[in-house]
Amino acid sequence: MSSLPSPVSDALFTRALRLIPGGVNSPVRAFRSVGGAPFFTKSAQGATLTTADGRELIDFVCTWGPAIHGHNHPRIKAAIAAALEHGTSFGTPNPYEVEMAELITRFVPSIQKVRMCNSGTEATMSAIRLARGFTRRDKIIKFAGCYHGHSDSLLIKAGSGALTHGHPDSAGVPAAFARETIVLPYNDRAALTAAFAANPGEIACAIIEPYCGNVGFIMPDPGYLQYLREITAQHGALLIYDEVMTGFRLHKAGVQGLQAEVVGQVADLADFSEPAQRAGLQPNSDPKSKILITSDLPDLTCLGKIIGGGLPVGAFGGRADIMDMLAPLGPVYQAGTLSGNPLAMAAGIAALRLLDEENPYARLDALGRCVRDAVIAAAKTKGLPVQVPQCGSMFSIFFTPTPVRDYATALTGDAKLYAKFFHTCLDNGVYLAPSAYEAAFISTAHAGTAIDRACEVMSGAIREL
Ligand SMILES: *Cc1c(COP(=O)(O)O)cnc(C)c1O
């Protein structure tokens, strides 16, 4: 545990513990799985958090994903300030919502229509209701270790804080609801085949984090996502990609953008991204393959995190014929007092425009590789088995000799060793997620001294294990 005194944070935490369950408004912020008490942050700028005690930390949590441009980016700040001049919420349609919808549908080709909401949880919950309403079926498939927010049907074998704190199956979810959720191992084709065979005509949809980021970071085996697309289509079930975390993080069109580049759907193959190449994907210039990819796309996609530029947001969208089942056009009800909020839209629009202008994905991947290589090299010298799955600006460190490809293998990671590593990093000014089962995030603001220093600190922390 940390040896550095933090009197201001500790005093705040004591007050918080009296009034807020566990002292935190989201369990992932608690330090219970790594030991010690969380620090409070008083400000954040670029790659750096400043704690209430005045310590500066290089931040690899990036507010759990949204801060791809680093904290408090001047362009996003200016956009919020400009929107604020006109009011905070109108309860009528506002111009920002239209621009946001235009940006999302332009960047993510599978999204023909989109509905904004206030969190990723709302996005996945609503997408599932929509899939059930559209197919008139009740059962859904989810994958062990994937986290899709905290709605009832989805808190079963869930990742993220639910797993970190020992409750992947939440109390309070009625057994009758849980029975409608079929949980399968990620990356297991035979399990998919069997589930569809055992529930003919009953499965409304499969929801997946196409690259899983909530049980640590896990990549799909080659061809796995294509198989998932094929089998869902065959059985008349919808495929929902939960890209709340990966959307705009790995590519402007998320994981589906990486997939599309592979088969040459993206016009400019010169732009074939480094993350896609390194994920073992090959660009394909065969024009016939374009037909193939069209059927590779998900029916619905959930977004959040980055598209809010650091303000609360979520969105779900996809095929127009499905989206038009939503109220007020159709019978599937979904609503939100603050949905499409002008401040959140202004922040998100600024964040997306920056991504469009800068196209930082190759740069971010170089930073990710830098960390991965440093950690692997240090572990090798030390003779310590480690897995560092990484794609673009997402990575995880699992202390295990077992390649991590699903929930079960993620759990082979040594959580006690991670806790030690976490605290040594923190004591030396590098903040990683306080859990062995979370992905780390890099921002464009990490380039330069922050990434160099972080690599040094992480290597040093491994030597000390
Ligand atoms: C964060 C996350 C959610 C939930 O989003 P909230 O805004 O926290 O409700 C859902 N799905 C995935 C993949 C996430 O990473």
Side-chain angles (χ1 to χ4, degrees), residues 168-189:
D169 306 289
S170 174
V173 174
F177 290 16
R179 271 198 293 279
E180 305 299 334
T181 302
I182 300 164
V183 183
L184 302 180
Y186 184 85
N187 264 335
D188 184 338
R189 293 190 196 206

Side-chain angles (χ1 to χ4, degrees), residues 64 118-122 124 147-150 209 213-214 242-246 304-305 313:
W64 301 93
N118 302 291
S119 69
T121 295
E122 281 182 49
T124 55
Y147 175 72
H148 305 291
H150 59 276
E209 288 182 72
N214 277 294
D242 179 355
E243 299 224 47
V244 169
M245 187 181 274
T246 52
K305 298 198 166 116
V313 88

Side-chain angles (χ1 to χ4, degrees), residues 133-324:
F134 182 81
T135 58
R136 298 169 195 258
R137 300 172 179 179
D138 289 341
K139 288 198 190 305
I140 65 167
I141 289 177
K142 86 173 278 291
F143 298 88
C146 287
Y147 175 72
H148 305 291
H150 59 276
S151 71
D152 283 340
S153 312
L154 295 168
L155 274 184
I156 300 162
K157 280 272 185 296
S160 191
L163 171 62
T164 302
H165 300 295
H167 304 290
D169 306 289
S170 174
V173 174
F177 290 16
R179 271 198 293 279
E180 305 299 334
T181 302
I182 300 164
V183 183
L184 302 180
Y186 184 85
N187 264 335
D188 184 338
R189 293 190 196 206
L192 264 175
T193 314
F196 275 102
N199 299 275
E202 290 190 88
I203 297 171
C205 65
I207 183 166
I208 191 164
E209 288 182 72
Y211 285 15
C212 182
N214 277 294
V215 59
F217 184 59
I218 304 179
M219 310 259 298
D221 291 344
Y224 177 67
L225 294 174
Q226 285 73 14
Y227 183 66
L228 177 61
R229 175 65 285 186
E230 271 166 41
I231 195 164
T232 45
Q234 240 170 51
H235 291 268
L238 300 186
L239 175 58
I240 305 175
Y241 268 15
D242 179 355
E243 299 224 47
V244 169
M245 187 181 274
T246 52
F248 295 93
R249 165 114 340 241
L250 299 175
H251 184 283
K252 269 186 284 186
V255 169
Q256 54 196 282
L258 292 177
Q259 284 179 287
E261 284 191 10
V262 175
V263 295
Q265 191 196 34
V266 171
D268 184 7
L269 274 178
D271 199 30
F272 182 68
S273 73
E274 288 203 36
Q277 287 176 32
R278 285 198 324 98
L281 307 170
Q282 296 297 321
N284 182 349
S285 49
D286 177 0
K288 274 184 301 208
S289 63
K290 284 184 193 176
I291 300 156
L292 202 119
I293 191 65
T294 316
S295 59
D296 263 7
L297 295 173
D299 301 296
L300 295 173
T301 298
C302 302
L303 296 169
K305 298 198 166 116
I306 285 177
I307 62 163
L311 269 64
V313 88
F316 60 104
R319 275 167 47 189
D321 60 323
I322 303 173
M323 291 301 288
D324 284 347

Side-chain angles (χ1 to χ4, degrees), residues 30 69 80 110 119 229 271 308 315 327 344 404 444:
H69 301 294
I80 297 169
S110 72
S119 69
R229 175 65 285 186
D271 199 30
V404 174
T444 51

Side-chain angles (χ1 to χ4, degrees), residues 307-391:
I307 62 163
L311 269 64
V313 88
F316 60 104
R319 275 167 47 189
D321 60 323
I322 303 173
M323 291 301 288
D324 284 347
M325 292 284 285
L326 283 175
L329 291 182
V332 177
Y333 199 71
Q334 187 277 337
T337 302
L338 292 175
S339 294
N341 175 266
L343 299 189
M345 294 303 96
I349 288 165
L352 298 191
R353 282 209 194 128
L354 266 171
L355 287 172
D356 196 27
E357 285 168 30
E358 294 182 355
N359 197 12
Y361 297 101
R363 268 192 294 143
L364 285 168
D365 189 49
L367 301 180
R369 251 187 293 177
C370 186
V371 175
R372 187 196 58 164
D373 292 348
V375 170
I376 290 177
K380 201 168 171 197
T381 310
K382 175 92 180 167
L384 190 72
V386 71
Q387 309 292 327
V388 192
Q390 175 261 331
C391 178

